[in-house]
């Protein structure tokens, strides 16, 4: 596969894809190298002594409404005999020492609060289990004294979210085959969600473009947190955030709560975990995707303070630098993250946090016989975020959460190509340099009016400065043309208010409004939203959610340039407005047993203000792209509709195993100015998953020898394409389409992933060897086609080939 494919979205093909590096004849294979690395790591682990291990479980219990510590809460490990218990002190802290390693259930009870059960927490010998627990106020005092129904596993911490919401546990992510410790890949096991089959973690939800996904970290919007990504995209091959840094995250797929704005497809809300504030701990990982070190411990001189930091470097780049491998197109990347927790006596708790990543790859397309260089592509990207947050209590019933951040993302591309077969000198065909820096401020006030009424209001201000340039080869004029040359700034102002009313133990309602204003084009959106939950029985519930949503386009889209008939440069889309959508979701939940849940949701989305080409004979819609930009003249007069039904049957992890079956059927279409309804590119139809996992305790005098196995089988309906006219493409020297737009549906992509991990623990140290193999059967289903002018033929891009991801983890 040549370098042209990796940069296809810049030179005529609609998407960039992860490309498996081409191997030189005398280099060892990628799979053989992975096995060798894994074997060497196994030898380095040393001998293991079988003995009984214990660890400390401790944490802090807070009031969810005020963030005040809860004094006198009873904490009990209910799965042990005898039961181990503790009582929280004035600071809400508790400690339970000498807990046997393995799985435990933790139950928390406090007067005036709803009881909470944390099931199947993993206690390992190498690190303390440090928990941050929040309790919801009980509606009545009588309920607080009774044993209440446990909240379902997977329920999000955000009590303003009622529909289409799911918690993503970090430990859960590590158990799912094919996730390779990346929450963005793990969510594709949820109903109605799919990743890009060609290899990266781009998220497609309910037939929507991945452009509509909002990424958040520590409660604030951030740029696309993936390596090898650029402005306007939402995915990439590898996430910048290391799994050892992330706390439990939350994922929303529709009818979002009022606090979430600038999104119409999905919201990925991530948090960084706190470091251990009492002892130093370390994690070393070495594997195919990277070698990294995580360190954490107490912050000197700060009571209750802690630090957490991680650094990772591409393993293949290390081996390439050492001359061990000689791949053509080695992906080089490095990333880092940190979090400092700094409690104060009177000003609340401050958190200083940051993430950053740098990635670079050079790909060359050479002849197989004479090593002739046909093309060369040089791509690099950077992303970074640094922020300071403050959580401050305001009396007994309120707290204020504020964050200020500086983020930046940039990318550059240089693509050169031989002008004709037989010529050795390369000529420029595309180059770009994109950079954006954003200062954001958010402040959210949470106020509990009573046990039944809660208000949450906030403001978000984002000011971004940008400098962007791009030029590409024009086949007709036989010269490079500038398509983008802009610098300036733009500000987005958002405000929201949300009210939750719990009428009684069966009925609750959330309602509110979100406002978004974008200074670049003067567009404003007022978005009312509401959701209802009826707890018919302790184990059965009905939900309903409706709301309006909107999102700005990438800066490149507004700043793209074109030349008129008189030769004057202009920006056809500088005044383009917001893309908008109305969501409606109805759901039903049934707990079939204490650990098995059946859930179904039906949804309808009406898109309006969709950017389409300002031409009554054109079928072009910006909603069919996943990134980059166009200099076509666009207007917000397109409409779309997406509807479907999705269901899941999930057994949460209990008794040593779990499983989940998910399925969704949907239909997504759009109508441009020609008045014809077309298939959306992402009208995948059927998306289904079957996955299961099992933990096996290895006998031998210790609970710390555990074998974990899991599998995942997924089916993702093919995306739509427009037929390619080969003869016209050859004549024009670039891809030309023919026939009915978006009328050719790709084949369904089937994929089997397997994961096996072996964890061994001894006092203060644990080892884990893990193999996560994607596409075990090495299926080669075509994802899409493109025209290659060098060979003057239509070529295909298949799904990602079998990829064994091997990893060794040492915790101490």
């Amino acid at each position: 596969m040549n370098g042209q494919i990796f940069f296809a979205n810049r030179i005529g093909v609609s998407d960039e894809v992860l490309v498996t590096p081409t191997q030189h004849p005398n280099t060892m294979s990628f799979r053989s190298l992975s096995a060798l690395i894994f074997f060497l790591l196994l030898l380095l682990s040393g001998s293991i002594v079988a003995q009984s291990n214990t660890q400390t479980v401790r944490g802090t219990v807070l009031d969810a409404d005020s963030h005040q510590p809860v004094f006198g809460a009873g904490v009990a490990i209910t799965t042990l005999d005898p039961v181990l218990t503790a009582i929280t002190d004035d600071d809400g802290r508790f400690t339970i020492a000498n807990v046997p390693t393995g799985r435990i259930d933790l139950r928390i009870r406090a007067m005036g609060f709803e009881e909470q059960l944390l099931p199947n927490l993993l206690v390992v010998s190498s690190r303390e289990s440090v928990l941050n627990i929040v309790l919801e106020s009980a509606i009545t005092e009588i309920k607080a004294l009774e044993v209440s129904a446990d909240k379902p596993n997977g329920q999000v911490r955000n009590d303003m979210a009622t529909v289409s919401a799911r918690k993503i546990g970090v430990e859960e992510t590590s158990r799912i085959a094919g996730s390779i410790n990346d929450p963005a890949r793990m969510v594709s096991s949820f109903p109605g969600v799919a990743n890009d089959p060609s290899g990266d973690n781009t998220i497609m939800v309910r037939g929507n473009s991945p452009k509509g996904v909002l990424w958040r970290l520590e409660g604030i919007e951030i740029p696309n947190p993936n390596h090898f990504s650029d402005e306007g995209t939402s995915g990439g091959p590898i996430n910048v955030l290391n799994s050892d840094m992330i706390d439990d995250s939350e994922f929303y797929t529709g009818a979002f709560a009022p606090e979430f704005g600038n999104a119409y497809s999905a919201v990925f809300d991530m948090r960084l975990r706190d470091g251990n504030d009492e002892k130093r701990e370390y994690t070393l990982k070495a594997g195919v995707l990277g070698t990294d070190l995580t360190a954490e411990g107490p912050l000197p001189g700060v009571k209750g303070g802690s630090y957490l930091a991680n650094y990772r470097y591409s393993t293949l780049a290390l081996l390439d630098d050492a001359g061990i491998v000689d791949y053509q197109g080695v992906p080089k990347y490095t990333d880092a993250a940190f979090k400092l927790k700094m409690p104060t006596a009177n000003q609340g708790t401050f958190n200083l946090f940051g993430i950053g990543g740098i990635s670079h790859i050079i790909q060359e397309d050479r002849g197989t016989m004479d090593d002739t260089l046909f093309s060369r592509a040089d791509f690099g990207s950077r992303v970074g975020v640094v922020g300071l947050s403050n959580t401050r209590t305001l009396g007994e019933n309120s707290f204020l959460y504020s964050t200020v951040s500086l983020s930046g993302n940039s990318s550059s591309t240089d693509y050169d190509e031989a002008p004709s077969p037989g010529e050795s000198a390369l000529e420029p065909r595309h180059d770009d340099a994109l950079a954006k820096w954003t200062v954001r401020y958010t402040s959210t006030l949470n106020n509990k009016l009573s046990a039944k009424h809660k208000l949450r209001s906030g403001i978000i201000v984002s000011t971004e400065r940008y400098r962007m340039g791009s030029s590409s080869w024009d086949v007709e004029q036989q010269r490079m043309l500038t398509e983008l040359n802009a610098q300036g700034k733009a500000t987005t102002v958002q405000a929201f208010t949300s009210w939750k009313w719990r009428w009684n133990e069966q009925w609750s309602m959330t309602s509110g409004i979100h406002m978004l204003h974008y200074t670049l084009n003067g567009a404003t959106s007022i978005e009312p939203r509401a959701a209802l939950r009826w707890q018919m029985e302790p184990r059965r519930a009905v939900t309903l959610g409706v709301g309006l949503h909107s999102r700005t386009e990438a800066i490149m889209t507004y700043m793209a340039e074109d030349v008129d008939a008189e030769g004057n440069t202009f920006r056809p889309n500088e005044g383009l407005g917001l893309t908008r959508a109305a969501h409606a979701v109805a759901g039903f939940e049934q707990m079939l047993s204490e650990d098995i849940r059946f859930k179904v949701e039906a949804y309808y989305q009406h898109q309006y203000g969709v950017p389409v080409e300002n031409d009554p004979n054109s079928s072009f819609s910006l909603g069919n792209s996943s990134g980059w930009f166009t200099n076509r003249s666009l207007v917000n007069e397109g409409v779309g509709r997406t509807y479907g039904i999705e269901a899941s049957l999930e057994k949460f992890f209990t008794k040593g195993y779990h499983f989940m079956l998910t399925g969704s059927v949907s239909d997504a279409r759009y109508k441009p100015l020609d008045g014809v309804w077309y298939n959306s590119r992402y009208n995948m139809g059927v998306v289904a998953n079957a996955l299961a996992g099992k933990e096996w305790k290895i006998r031998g005098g210790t609970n710390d020898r555990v074998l974990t196995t899991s599998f995942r089988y997924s089916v993702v309906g093919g995306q739509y394409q427009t037929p390619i006219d080969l003869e016209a493409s050859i004549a024009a020297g670039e891809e030309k389409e023919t026939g009915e737009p978006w009328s050719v549906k790709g084949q369904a992509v089937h994929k089997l992933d397997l994961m096996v991990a072996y964890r061994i623990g001894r006092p203060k140290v644990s080892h884990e060897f893990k193999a996560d193999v994607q596409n075990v059967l090495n299926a080669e289903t075509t994802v899409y086609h493109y025209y290659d002018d060098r060979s003057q033929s239509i070529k295909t891009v298949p799904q990602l080939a079998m990829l064994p991801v091997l990893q060794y983890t040492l915790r101490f």
Side-chain angles (χ1 to χ4, degrees), residues 325-573:
V325 297
D326 186 22
Y327 285 110
Q328 188 280 308
V330 173
K332 298 184 177 183
Y333 53 89
T334 183
D335 50 60
F338 71 91
K339 181 180 181 181
L340 303 180
K341 180 182 179 181
M342 300 169 287
T344 65
N346 301 312
Q347 302 301 318
T349 299
F350 289 89
N351 289 305
L352 180 65
F353 62 92
I355 65 171
I358 302 173
S359 50
H360 180 241
I361 188 171
I362 296 177
Q363 290 183 306
E364 294 180 345
D365 181 18
R366 293 182 177 271
T368 57
M369 300 298 293
D370 56 2
D371 204 37
T372 301
L373 180 61
F374 295 111
S375 65
R376 184 179 188 271
D378 185 338
F379 176 77
S381 69
R382 296 170 180 254
V383 62
V385 179
V386 61
L388 179 67
S389 67
N390 175 250
T391 304
R392 185 175 182 180
T393 58
L394 304 174
E396 297 183 355
N397 297 312
S398 303
F399 74 93
L400 184 69
Y401 180 77
S402 302
T403 306
V404 60
S405 72
L406 172 64
S407 65
N409 59 296
S410 63
S411 64
S412 62
T413 307
D414 289 302
Y415 177 72
D416 301 328
E417 190 176 69
S420 61
E423 296 190 32
S424 58
L426 302 183
E427 296 182 358
R429 288 296 180 263
H430 176 87
D431 63 75
D432 64 63
L434 314 171
K436 187 175 72 173
W437 305 266
T438 306
V439 176
R440 287 188 174 91
Y441 172 76
T442 71
S443 187
T444 302
L445 176 64
N446 292 264
N447 191 0
K448 182 177 73 173
L449 305 178
S450 67
K452 293 186 176 183
H453 299 275
K454 179 188 298 186
L455 285 177
R456 180 177 300 163
S457 302
I459 187 170
I460 308 165
V461 180
S462 306
T463 298
E464 50 194 12
R465 293 185 177 273
Y466 55 87
R467 184 175 66 248
M468 299 182 177
S470 176
S471 59
S472 296
W473 181 258
D474 185 272
V475 177
E476 293 183 356
Q477 300 186 41
Q478 289 294 296
R479 65 186 181 94
M480 296 285 286
L481 294 182
T482 298
E483 302 167 317
L484 182 66
N485 183 21
Q487 59 180 347
K489 70 174 184 178
T491 299
T492 305
V493 179
Q494 301 177 69
F496 68 88
T497 187
S498 182
W499 166 49
K500 183 167 186 177
W501 178 19
R502 294 193 292 175
W503 308 342
N504 50 43
E505 296 177 14
Q506 288 75 43
W507 291 90
S508 63
M509 181 184 71
T510 302
S511 61
I513 194 167
H514 189 102
M515 184 278 293
L516 183 149
H517 176 73
Y518 193 34
T519 62
L520 188 68
N521 54 17
T524 300
S525 180
I526 306 297
E527 303 163 4
R529 303 172 190 177
L532 184 70
R533 182 180 181 90
W534 175 29
Q535 196 73 43
M536 304 167 62
E537 298 176 4
R539 293 187 173 184
R540 182 180 301 164
V542 173
T543 57
L544 178 66
V546 294
L548 301 182
H549 310 274
S550 65
R551 184 169 175 81
T552 60
E553 298 296 338
I555 289 286
M556 301 179 296
T557 299
Y558 300 109
M559 296 291 105
E561 296 180 354
D562 201 357
V563 179
D564 62 20
E566 286 74 34
N568 300 313
T569 300
F570 70 103
R571 293 172 178 162
N573 301 316

Side-chain angles (χ1 to χ4, degrees), residues 90-130:
D90 291 343
D91 296 324
R93 292 174 171 261
F94 69 91
T95 300
I96 304 178
N98 300 318
V99 178
T101 54
R103 299 275 178 181
I104 63 169
D105 290 351
L106 196 70
R107 188 179 295 274
I108 305 96
R109 293 178 178 174
M111 182 68 69
F113 294 91
E114 293 183 349
E115 179 184 285
Q116 186 171 155
L117 176 68
L118 303 178
N120 284 283
L121 298 177
L122 179 61
V123 180
V124 295
S125 61
S126 57
R127 62 194 306 174
E128 293 184 335
S129 294
V130 184

Side-chain angles (χ1 to χ4, degrees), residues 43 59 75 150 202 223 277 309 312 393 515 541 560 568 591 702 721 748 787:
L43 294 179
V75 183
D150 300 321
T202 296
D277 60 359
R312 175 174 60 176
T393 58
M515 184 278 293
N568 300 313
M591 295 298 298
T702 176
Q721 273 195 272
Y787 171 71

